Amino acid sequence: MIYYLSEEAVLKWLESPFLYNIKKDELYELDEEAFDFLKDCINGRDSDDTSLVRYCIDEGILSEFPRKTKHPPVLKPTVPSLRYLELQITNRCNLLCKHCYIEDKDYVELSINDIVAVLKEFEEMQGLRVMITGGEPLLHSGFEELNRILPLFSIRKVLLTNGLLIDRKLIEKLNFEEIQISIDGLEIAHDAIRGKGTFKRAMDSIRLLKEYGIDVSVATVLHRKNLKDLERLGDLLSEMDIKTWTVDIPCIVGRLSSYEDLALSPDEGGKYLRYGFGDDLHSSSPGFGCGVHLMAVTARGEIARCTFYSNRNVGTIKEGLRNCWEKIRPVRIEELECDCDFLEVCRGGCRYRAELLTGNPFGKDLYRCSFYNYIEKSK
């Protein structure tokens, strides 16, 4: 029997060889024998190893039918590898959220040609997951065209949206493996920072997406009005079979002066970081701090360590992702001014937030410190 590497499975060479299941968002580290076997399956391989083949078919790795799209080249990337890309395609938005960090008042967006060039190079660099964001990415003038070409890329496409523009007509055309929607508390708390009626519309969108069998994740920012909601919100999201619930505290930057009355100090907010579920990141390279495999592209085509560092970009898309990636110096755990027993798990927390709080790029993320102090006291 001839078996082929399935459409949803792609070989990636990161620090070592891996197989990535785009649909399931699962990463398998491979030994040399497994890598060679699966590489042979790209164009079809006859195999009598029924136990291995059956496992691979059950996992969505192998298929009895050849691929419709070309498998991208398996190239050795720079180390550390670039695995995750924040791609801000527009800064235009249909909301004016109190916690938004985007200062740019001029409407800008990346051209479709620029987006395609970025995605091609990201794929060549063995990228795993692109987070297409904004602003509100659905407001990009060429979103329909972008959506049509996304299946050409063997990476997991994640759409980050406020959910207000989602309807059945859109869902039936979407070429994303995952949709992330922001839910910042229950109705009163969510609407307090996003606008009246936004909670109901966002939740309706989640239900509609789940009806179509699409993976949905939820991002929640902590603020003074939603702390009492978290237990009930977590139960609600679990009942809705949400893939991942990420809970975090925003950095007070940009036009966040209107958010200051809702902001939490490290001592107040840290312990609430215990909420959330699911695993939003694959295993990271040991010895490095947070964000070692992440880079961001802004709507102006600037490239930075992450979107928070957009005012300290390392270059532009005209220079290429690889050239800019090589300019970013990864932070090693041994450089951090952290000394607790949770360092290998925490990896120093958010580096931007740590610098914002302490004035030191190697300082402590005091919110994460507060969280782990809470965990230690709760034992």
Side-chain angles (χ1 to χ4, degrees), residues 193-246:
I193 62 174
R194 290 186 176 266
K196 188 174 181 180
T198 56
F199 175 80
K200 184 180 183 302
R201 291 168 67 186
M203 293 299 290
D204 286 345
S205 293
I206 291 177
R207 294 185 183 95
L208 197 56
L209 288 162
K210 294 303 299 181
E211 180 182 325
Y212 280 81
I214 297 176
D215 281 350
V216 178
S217 54
V218 166
T220 298
V221 296
L222 294 172
H223 58 86
R224 200 167 293 281
K225 291 188 177 182
N226 70 2
L227 301 181
K228 294 181 180 179
D229 292 348
L230 297 175
E231 202 72 43
R232 289 168 56 203
L233 180 59
D235 291 341
L236 176 61
L237 298 179
S238 294
E239 292 169 5
M240 298 176 76
D241 193 28
I242 295 303
K243 179 181 183 291
T244 303
W245 178 32
T246 305

Side-chain angles (χ1 to χ4, degrees), residues 3-5 11 37-44 67 71-72 74:
Y3 296 97
Y4 300 87
L5 199 62
L11 294 174
F37 171 79
L38 292 173
K39 192 172 183 180
D40 287 344
C41 291
I42 292 175
N43 297 314
R67 297 172 65 94
H71 191 287
V74 185

Side-chain angles (χ1 to χ4, degrees), residues 303-305 308-315 351-352 355-356 361:
I303 297 178
R305 185 185 298 270
F308 285 120
Y309 285 95
S310 57
N311 62 343
R312 282 186 263 170
N313 66 79
V314 296
R351 290 292 82 217
Y352 186 86
E355 184 174 356
L356 196 67

Side-chain angles (χ1 to χ4, degrees), residues 261-299:
D261 291 341
L262 299 172
L264 300 162
S265 69
D267 288 340
E268 292 173 311
K271 61 184 177 182
Y272 292 98
L273 293 174
R274 69 185 186 273
Y275 287 95
F277 54 75
D279 185 8
D280 195 38
L281 291 175
H282 309 114
S283 59
S284 181
S285 296
F288 289 97
C290 179
V292 64
H293 297 298
L294 173 71
M295 192 163 69
V297 175
T298 73

